[in-house]
Amino acid sequence: MQESSSNASSSTHASGKEIAGHEYLAFTLGSEEYGIDILKVQEIRGYEAVTRIANAPAFIKGVINLRGIIIPVVDMRIKFNLGEPVYDQFTVVIILNIGGRIVGMVVDSVSDVTTLTPEQVKPAPEMGSAFSTDYLIGLGTIDERMLILVDIDRLMSSAEMGLIDVQAA
């Protein structure tokens, strides 16, 4: 066991890429800033009208036609209960590829791509039953800035979302 861990750490130091950490796409919902793994992002588009689906949960805005593929669009402000969404020139749809399924995610705005080292990511505090931290990776800190890191795979494939079939292991 110890030999493999020393090999892993020496390769990490040798290549320097692993030390750099993970890249997160930073976006805002209300006054908070969130981050998701950049590798899950397929593209970023301006907000456009969606086609509503009858009896869909409120957070499912509807569907859009993306180059011939009909994809569901989730409004994260509604999903996270962050007040009434406002759609303006800054509103964007982040197109995600989660386990081979394409899903759109409406956010207030996108700011930048940030690289966080493991030391900059702190565990999410336990909030009790009032707020579930199941979908949070942790809190990323960059100087005075704090990113709420969302486990977008886990969130989008959760049973309550009903968007992505959970594959049996």
Side-chain angles (χ1 to χ4, degrees), residues 6-66:
S6 67
N7 285 348
S9 66
S10 66
S11 70
T12 302
H13 294 298
S15 78
K17 225 180 174 94
E18 284 86 347
I19 296 173
H22 291 307
E23 289 187 318
Y24 294 92
L25 176 67
F27 62 90
T28 58
L29 291 171
S31 59
E32 301 301 325
E33 207 169 9
Y34 294 81
I36 56 172
D37 184 347
I38 191 70
L39 298 176
K40 304 294 176 194
V41 177
Q42 183 172 304
E43 66 182 274
I44 299 169
R45 303 170 52 92
Y47 181 76
E48 58 191 73
V50 298
T51 303
R52 296 277 308 151
I53 302 293
N55 298 323
F59 58 83
I60 306 275
K61 284 300 294 176
V63 294
I64 60 173
N65 184 337
L66 181 69

Side-chain angles (χ1 to χ4, degrees), residues 54-96:
N55 298 323
F59 58 83
I60 306 275
K61 284 300 294 176
V63 294
I64 60 173
N65 184 337
L66 181 69
R67 293 183 288 283
I69 301 168
I70 304 300
I71 62 168
V73 176
V74 176
D75 191 310
M76 297 306 282
R77 198 180 249 257
I78 296 171
K79 174 67 184 138
F80 288 160
N81 216 0
L82 295 171
E84 196 60 37
V86 177
Y87 305 105
D88 59 23
Q89 73 271 24
F90 301 111
T91 306
V92 293
V93 178
I94 301 171
I95 306 296
L96 302 167

Side-chain angles (χ1 to χ4, degrees), residues 127-150:
M127 306 294 260
S129 60
F131 181 75
S132 171
T133 55
D134 291 351
Y135 310 122
L136 298 184
I137 296 167
L139 299 173
T141 55
I142 312 124
D143 302 322
E144 295 300 308
R145 189 174 167 202
M146 191 173 293
L147 283 182
I148 301 166
L149 303 177
V150 179

